Amino acid sequence: MKCVIAGGNVKVLGRAVHSLSRIGDELYLEPTESGLSLRAVNSSRSAFAAFLFAPLFFQLYEPGNAGPDTELFRCKVHMKSFLGVFRSLPSLEKSVGKCLMLLKPRANRLVLQLHCKHGVTKTHNLAFQECERLQAVFDTQRCASRLCAPARLLAEAVVHFPPTLAEVTLGTGTGGKISLRNYVEDEAEPSKTMVTELWLAEDEFQSVAVAPGSHITFCLKEFRGLLSFAEASNLPLTIHFDEPGRPVIFTLDDTVLEVHLVLATLSDLESSSQSPSTNGVSHLPVPSDDFADDLESYMAAMETSEGCSEGPPSPTFPLRTPQPAKSKPQEEEEEEEEEEEGAVPGTPPHKKFRSLFFGSVMTPGRPGPATTQEVLAEDSDGES
Amino acid sequence: MRFRAKIVDLACLNHFSRIINTIAKLAKTCILRLTVCKLYFILSDKVANGGASMWCELSQGNFFDEFQMEGVAAEHNEIYLEFVPENLWRALKTAQSAKAVKIKLTNKHCPCLRVAVELPSLSSSSRVVTHDIPVGVIPRRMWSDFREPSVPDFDVSIYLPVLKTMKSVVERMKNLSNFIVIEANLSGEMNLKIETDLVSVTTHFKDLGNPPWASEDGCQSSAQGRDLESMAEACIDIKKLQQLLAGQQVNPTKALCNIVHKRIIHFILLHEEVSLQYFIPAIA
């Protein structure tokens, strides 16, 4: 792969890397025919971000040659190393004229070369690892609700919450108002925690198409990275969401850039009682009495749903991939090339991740494509 | 027991927020005492506070456009609430362009101070942010714990140097030592001293001036008849001093301290609309 980014786009690339660095420790590079995709996922698999830069974004874009049997070369690099090249955005803007990215499969380094003012060239040789495709499965079409707002509106909204706040709940209220509220954990004492709630009128948004009474809780920290990118690039942000537990998808669209951020949302214990998949939200073993009983029938249902991994999920078990407790963005093996439709469960925030692991241990050995379930707990490239 | 208040003027809001910021730097939790005319922020000298105590008093009329209070009973028309000032500071911090800020005492799941900020927006209706700050209601029988401290029988009273200068000196000294000695005399001289195994540093201030204190009953206080050159000193926790100075963003109209030799230092910072007293005990 060889590409050259020129002028102001170098800073855009830099900002994208900063945004991705808020998500995960590794940056996945995937050159495709439709552009260069930079991706990251967090350690608990509850957040996934992808920046797709179209060929037009580059002064020169050569994704490389895919042979008949081979795919275009993919790799991942340490986020810190990559970020180090773009660390100072002001100096990128001031002194860098061009950035060259060179990735040769047989070379053992990814080359990032910055052509700066006064004839200075800075060359960074980054170690990389080959990897499998990192792809969260999600589908914005399947989301019942959608909000579109200028990034500035959301930035102004988020400023009322402390920078350390972990989770925030987005909801729809009466009169079409949209609310943002800090999420207070059940374990926290209500008499000691400050609750902040912000109400935004419908007409502050560019478009509002929401299911009334809906709400989702997601990690604010991971969202802030995307928000600062959106603000700087002055692009409107679209929020696609559905029921609690299903992931929330933030998108930014431009002629040369497409950004997706998929965050897991907290399952709602009270609301979705039909599916046992939502029972195990907290790491407490019995949040509801029927957890143990339902596990039996749930496991039975998992046996039957394996055959149709490509098809739509069964109505009783909205999760395409059987998981006893959690929902989270699923990582696919290479066979699933496209972003398939299909329920993508969203992981509750990392602290509740533990019960996901217990869940998969509890299920007895199943025949067939158990590999798709394995993927849920591990890195998609088999390494950890 | 009811309390509602409203601030509409941005300058008042800004000033009030700065006061809350100062209080938040001095105390993690403190008492808010509400009377018909005044608000008090009180920190009593418990061991948990490191023995430091604070008394801050302001007239509500200088800040609030509306202020309604009904105390626990007719003859005790006051409310005492325990709260975390940092929470209130956070609520006010992002309200600096507000159209109005309303504060109300509510009791939905637990007693709270509800701060409702109405912000301007491009749409037809304003944006509203509400912050529910949990508070503890202090029962009447405990009110006597929070009485105004009396001015101690001091040995020396002296005006403080320019706070900005004092702050930068103390901040550097903080890196070297945990304790600082403040000594001063009735000739307007003050020294800030630190001493460790490796180094001792003293900063000298001159011509500070000594405030005149009229003694209430006409008899001699320990300050009178005292040798003008003789220093009174106290060794205090440097962090507490640094917190006090860091919280002062605007120069007070008057800033002075009263030193009781080897016992306690009483700081008084007066602004036009608010007075702050802070007591730091000497380290034994």
Side-chain angles (χ1 to χ4, degrees):
Chain A
M1 173 202 75
K2 177 176 175 189
C3 52
V4 176
I5 305 116
N9 282 352
V10 178
K11 194 166 170 208
V12 176
L13 178 65
R15 273 202 229 108
V17 179
H18 275 264
S19 205
L20 286 162
S21 69
R22 305 283 284 268
I23 306 288
D25 293 329
E26 291 178 321
L27 182 75
Y28 289 72
L29 281 130
E30 194 170 327
T32 69
E33 293 301 332
S34 44
L36 176 66
S37 182
L38 299 183
R39 301 168 184 211
V41 69
N42 70 352
S43 52
S44 55
R45 303 289 187 270
S46 58
F48 166 86
F51 283 73
L52 177 66
F53 295 95
L56 272 178
F57 177 81
F58 304 90
Q59 194 181 67
L60 169 72
Y61 181 67
E62 286 168 15
N65 294 314
D69 301 320
T70 60
E71 291 197 331
L72 289 174
F73 189 71
R74 289 190 284 261
C75 70
K76 60 178 179 177
V77 268
H78 279 302
M79 185 64 77
K80 272 209 188 123
S81 319
F82 205 95
L83 182 62
V85 180
F86 299 96
R87 181 168 308 281
S88 166
L89 293 172
S91 83
L92 277 183
E93 187 176 29
K94 240 180 13 173
S95 42
V96 178
K98 253 190 341 200
C99 170
L100 164 70
M101 264 204 275
L102 198 53
L103 178 58
K104 292 200 169 114
R106 269 174 287 284
N108 54 10
R109 290 287 183 269
L110 166 70
V111 179
L112 278 173
Q113 197 172 65
L114 300 178
H115 295 248
C116 312
K117 270 192 336 201
H118 312 302
V120 174
T121 307
K122 298 183 192 171
T123 309
H124 301 259
N125 299 307
L126 305 177
F128 63 82
Q129 277 181 299
E130 286 185 43
C131 61
E132 297 305 330
R133 190 163 192 242
L134 177 71
Q135 178 59 63
V137 173
F138 57 92
D139 184 5
T140 55
Q141 301 301 315
R142 289 183 58 92
C143 290
S145 305
R146 198 188 69 238
L147 287 170
C148 183
R152 203 183 38 89
L153 174 71
L154 296 170
E156 284 172 4
V158 144
V159 84
H160 297 283
F161 298 91
T164 50
L165 177 64
E167 284 106 33
V168 77
T169 303
L170 171 72
T172 56
T174 53
K177 286 195 180 265
I178 309 293
S179 77
L180 264 184
R181 187 171 197 266
N182 64 318
Y183 174 75
V184 179
E185 293 164 44
D186 302 322
E187 294 96 49
E189 279 185 56
S191 60
K192 293 233 166 97
T193 327
M194 178 164 149
V195 174
T196 300
E197 189 158 23
L198 162 72
W199 291 95
L200 297 165
E202 210 175 299
D203 54 5
E204 295 212 68
F205 291 82
Q206 283 180 358
S207 83
V208 176
V210 296
S214 55
H215 65 275
I216 45 155
T217 300
F218 59 89
C219 183
L220 182 58
K221 267 199 218 166
E222 281 150 356
F223 173 58
R224 280 184 197 266
L226 180 68
L227 188 54
S228 47
F229 180 87
E231 239 194 320
S233 45
N234 213 8
L235 289 170
L237 193 62
T238 308
I239 309 176
H240 305 262
F241 61 99
D242 203 60
E243 288 161 9
R246 303 275 282 262
V248 56
I249 305 150
F250 301 90
T251 59
L252 286 175
D253 267 303
D254 185 65
T255 45
V256 294
L257 174 63
E258 221 177 272
V259 187
H260 287 93
L261 170 68
V262 185
L263 293 182
T265 63
L266 267 186
S267 290
D268 210 8
L269 273 178
E270 296 85 57
S271 65
S272 39
S273 46
Q274 349 144 323
S275 152
S277 61
T278 56
N279 282 351
V281 150
S282 79
H283 56 267
L284 299 172
V286 193
S288 80
D289 298 330
D290 29 60
F291 179 70
D293 297 333
D294 273 329
L295 198 55
E296 301 300 309
S297 51
Y298 186 79
M299 275 154 36
M302 281 196 292
E303 313 272 303
T304 57
S305 73
E306 273 160 12
C308 50
S309 56
E310 296 288 329
S314 81
T316 330
F317 295 91
L319 305 178
R320 168 157 44 143
T321 55
Q323 285 184 61
K326 292 297 154 297
S327 5
K328 68 173 185 74
Q330 180 196 4
E331 285 165 32
E332 297 287 331
E333 302 276 50
E334 267 180 67
E335 345 22 319
E336 317 249 349
E337 308 261 39
E338 282 107 342
E339 292 168 18
E340 215 50 57
E341 46 76 36
V344 188
T347 334
H350 62 272
K351 56 183 172 293
K352 310 225 165 124
F353 182 59
R354 260 173 278 137
S355 52
L356 167 64
F357 186 72
F358 297 147
S360 58
V361 165
M362 276 196 280
T363 57
R366 264 170 282 108
T371 46
T372 43
Q373 285 93 59
E374 302 297 290
V375 168
L376 301 173
E378 304 169 46
D379 203 339
S380 58
D381 61 5
E383 301 176 333
S384 46
Chain B
M1 205 172 42
R2 276 172 26 112
F3 170 60
R4 326 162 78 93
K6 185 160 127 178
I7 303 181
V8 172
D9 182 73
L10 279 182
C12 293
L13 176 62
N14 184 262
H15 194 177
F16 187 67
S17 309
R18 275 189 277 118
I19 295 169
I20 301 298
N21 187 17
T22 306
I23 303 293
K25 291 204 155 75
L26 292 175
K28 194 148 167 265
T29 313
C30 77
I31 306 293
L32 168 62
R33 174 184 169 199
L34 299 164
T35 66
V36 172
C37 305
K38 291 193 175 196
L39 281 96
Y40 303 81
F41 296 97
I42 307 166
L43 183 68
S44 66
D45 57 353
K46 299 202 199 70
V47 173
N49 305 324
S53 58
M54 167 186 77
W55 182 271
C56 177
E57 180 175 319
L58 45 107
S59 294
Q60 58 91 348
N62 288 329
F63 298 91
F64 296 91
D65 292 276
E66 284 170 29
F67 192 91
Q68 294 154 22
M69 194 228 43
E70 266 169 42
V72 292
E75 43 314 340
H76 304 292
N77 199 16
E78 303 187 1
I79 301 177
Y80 283 65
L81 300 170
E82 184 175 32
F83 79 116
V84 172
E86 172 77 23
N87 286 341
L88 184 54
W89 161 237
R90 278 209 337 248
L92 295 174
K93 194 161 71 154
T94 52
Q96 296 306 306
S97 57
K99 284 161 138 180
V101 174
K102 294 189 197 155
I103 307 182
K104 187 168 126 170
L105 183 60
T106 65
N107 190 0
K108 286 221 184 115
H109 311 286
C110 62
C112 276
L113 269 183
R114 167 166 280 216
V115 179
V117 181
E118 200 184 319
L119 293 162
S121 78
L122 293 169
S123 85
S124 46
S125 47
S126 315
R127 263 179 232 166
V128 178
V129 189
T130 54
H131 303 267
D132 285 332
I133 301 168
V135 296
V137 179
I138 307 286
R140 230 197 61 68
R141 63 174 190 279
M142 293 176 63
W143 288 8
S144 53
D145 287 352
F146 308 108
R147 272 196 286 254
E148 179 170 5
S150 46
V151 177
D153 204 11
F154 52 81
D155 297 301
V156 166
S157 176
I158 188 168
Y159 287 113
L160 295 176
V162 172
L163 289 192
K164 206 164 137 207
T165 312
M166 196 173 169
K167 180 164 82 161
S168 65
V169 168
V170 172
E171 259 170 23
R172 277 153 187 72
M173 287 182 164
K174 189 162 92 82
N175 294 332
L176 300 169
S177 167
N178 291 331
F179 306 109
I180 186 173
V181 171
I182 303 187
E183 63 174 22
N185 63 22
L186 289 171
S187 305
E189 290 171 345
M190 175 191 276
N191 300 326
L192 301 177
K193 304 195 296 197
I194 55 160
E195 192 167 322
T196 68
D197 293 338
L198 296 173
V199 65
S200 61
V201 183
T202 308
T203 305
H204 305 265
F205 296 93
K206 290 197 314 205
D207 300 326
L208 294 173
N210 302 88
W213 283 85
S215 50
E216 286 165 358
D217 49 2
C219 67
Q220 302 235 340
S221 70
S222 53
Q224 288 178 294
R226 188 191 160 84
D227 171 26
L228 294 182
E229 305 287 323
S230 146
M231 292 279 183
E233 68 169 51
C235 176
I236 58 175
D237 180 349
I238 200 171
K239 240 176 81 185
K240 297 240 169 327
L241 178 61
Q242 191 261 340
Q243 279 167 356
L244 174 66
L245 297 171
Q248 298 301 308
Q249 290 135 332
V250 181
N251 261 333
T253 323
K254 271 205 173 83
L256 59 110
C257 74
N258 301 325
I259 305 178
V260 179
H261 186 66
K262 298 212 170 167
R263 297 284 291 280
I264 196 164
I265 305 188
H266 173 208
F267 294 88
I268 304 180
L269 301 166
L270 295 172
H271 294 83
E272 268 167 29
E273 289 127 0
V274 60
S275 73
L276 173 66
Q277 297 179 58
Y278 195 57
F279 297 78
I280 309 182
I283 311 287

